[in-house]
Every structure is written in C-alpha cells, then in structure tokens.
Amino acid sequence: MTARENFRRAFAALLFLLLQFSGHCAENTVGDSSKLIVRTVLPSDTDSRIDKSSGDGWEHYIYLNPSVPDRKQLLVFLPGTGGKGGGAKAFLSFAANQGFHVISLAYPSQLSISAFRESPDPDAFLKARNNLIYGKPPFGRLNTGVPNSIQNRLHFLLHHLIEHFPQENWRQFMREGGKNFDYRTMILAGQSQGGGHAALKIGRAHV
C-alpha cells in the first residue's frame, strides 16, 4: 500500500466517524455499548522521565469495546490548548463502539500555539509544533524535551498497553519489534492546536 493510499484510508475512516457521529447514529454501534472499556493511564507511569503534564488531571484516556469486531485501526486524539486528555468523551466513546482502538493523549498543551503569531520567524508555528511533537529543539517559551513530547508519550503508552493488556491487541500498531509506530494502522485527529499537531504529523508520516 502506498503512502497516498495509507493517507486516503486514514482520512476515509476519520470522515466516516465524523459523519456518523454528527448524525447521532448511536444505533449504528456494531457491538454492545455497555461493554465499553474506559481507563486512564498516568503519563509518568509509562516512562519515569516524563515530568510535565502528568497528574493533577493530566491523564491518557483509553477507549476500547471488546464486543465489537476489531477494525485494526488506532484513533489517536490530541486535545486542544489546556486539554488534559479527558475531553471529547462522546466522540471517542462512539469511535470505540465502532471497533476502533482509541487513545486520547495527554501532552503539554498549556501554551496556545497562537502565542507565536507575532514572531518574526516565518517558521514559528512549525518550530513550535515540532518542539511539542518531537521534544526538540527548544523554541521560544517551549522547551518540551524528548521525554515529554507527543511522540515519546504515545510510544511508551502503547508499550504500557501491550505489556499490561496483551489480550487487547495493541501490538498491531507497532512494527520493527516495537521500535516504531505503524502509521498505516493509525488515524491522528485533534481539537484546535491538537488538530494542527495531528495534521503536521500525518503529513510527515505518510510521505
């Protein structure tokens, strides 16, 4: 499958979810919605180096419905500014009830990306987002650090889920012995600044 085909597949799956959810088609749930599992994971419990945006409400949220046929696709949701991981519950629950594995990722989202709109650097937004996604290099008021980055948090969260819930088949979203994500199986989405991070990461993952 080519990179373009991967992108189209992910986009089609996200569009399906949005259209179904916007129509409030709860009756289209594939399995038993009462079987929905919602759990939280403290970011620092997955990697002891994580020392920001962990605790005090900052938690990863995991959604899975084991009664639904597995679509073999992971929806990763990135909250907007100040989002601690617990938002968009109705949409994410709906996605899980449609057979998607779902993660709402807590990351350092306190600073709005709009804070860089007056920067004289034409690449300010790109550099700010790169710092949050990958942890380096520092830019302006952002010095996220690799352990606290979006990429590191997702990596260690998936390994945490693989280790503690092997029956839930989170391993299918990793490749090369667990070293890298398998972006062919992932859908990245988000709200506000989280949507911008997702779009940037998708663009790089599928080229």
Side-chain angles (χ1 to χ4, degrees), residues 98-185:
Q98 296 296 319
F100 295 86
H101 285 63
V102 179
I103 287 172
S104 180
L105 199 76
Y107 68 96
S109 64
Q110 294 93 328
L111 181 64
S112 172
I113 295 298
S114 66
F116 297 96
R117 65 182 179 276
E118 302 297 335
S119 173
D121 189 335
D123 294 324
F125 291 126
L126 175 62
K127 291 177 179 178
R129 292 187 189 279
N130 277 339
N131 181 261
L132 286 166
I133 294 171
Y134 304 107
K136 60 182 182 180
F139 182 71
R141 294 161 59 189
L142 286 174
N143 187 13
T144 303
V146 173
N148 289 299
S149 69
I150 289 171
Q151 181 157 285
N152 185 73
R153 286 168 180 253
L154 180 57
H155 177 89
F156 278 94
L157 175 58
L158 279 172
H159 277 283
H160 176 90
L161 295 171
I162 289 168
E163 178 182 355
H164 292 278
F165 307 98
Q167 74 282 4
E168 295 179 355
N169 200 21
W170 295 94
R171 187 177 296 277
Q172 65 184 311
F173 307 118
M174 303 292 288
R175 62 180 179 179
E176 299 177 9
K179 293 182 180 179
N180 295 303
F181 309 128
D182 187 350
Y183 283 106
R184 297 169 298 178
T185 66

Side-chain angles (χ1 to χ4, degrees), residues 74-78 92 101-105 150 154 186-190 198:
L74 170 63
L75 173 62
V76 179
F77 184 84
L78 302 176
L92 300 176
H101 285 63
V102 179
I103 287 172
S104 180
L105 199 76
I150 289 171
L154 180 57
M186 296 172 65
I187 304 165
L188 277 70

Side-chain angles (χ1 to χ4, degrees), residues 6-17 73 186-187:
N6 288 335
F7 178 81
R8 286 176 176 171
R9 181 170 179 262
F11 181 77
L14 180 58
L15 184 60
F16 161 79
L17 280 171
Q73 287 185 293
M186 296 172 65
I187 304 165

Side-chain angles (χ1 to χ4, degrees), residues 21-148:
F21 181 71
S22 64
H24 299 93
C25 297
E27 67 274 10
N28 290 336
T29 299
V30 179
D32 183 353
S33 60
S34 69
K35 303 294 185 181
L36 177 67
I37 296 171
V38 181
R39 67 172 65 97
T40 59
V41 177
L42 195 66
S44 57
D45 284 347
T46 70
D47 180 0
S48 61
R49 300 173 301 163
I50 294 175
D51 58 4
K52 300 175 183 177
S53 303
S54 181
D56 192 26
W58 299 87
E59 296 177 305
H60 303 312
Y61 273 71
I62 316 301
Y63 300 79
L64 182 71
N65 191 328
S67 76
V68 180
D70 185 359
R71 286 182 179 269
K72 304 186 184 303
Q73 287 185 293
L74 170 63
L75 173 62
V76 179
F77 184 84
L78 302 176
T81 301
K84 297 184 175 184
K89 291 181 179 179
F91 171 65
L92 300 176
S93 297
F94 180 83
N97 286 330
Q98 296 296 319
F100 295 86
H101 285 63
V102 179
I103 287 172
S104 180
L105 199 76
Y107 68 96
S109 64
Q110 294 93 328
L111 181 64
S112 172
I113 295 298
S114 66
F116 297 96
R117 65 182 179 276
E118 302 297 335
S119 173
D121 189 335
D123 294 324
F125 291 126
L126 175 62
K127 291 177 179 178
R129 292 187 189 279
N130 277 339
N131 181 261
L132 286 166
I133 294 171
Y134 304 107
K136 60 182 182 180
F139 182 71
R141 294 161 59 189
L142 286 174
N143 187 13
T144 303
V146 173
N148 289 299

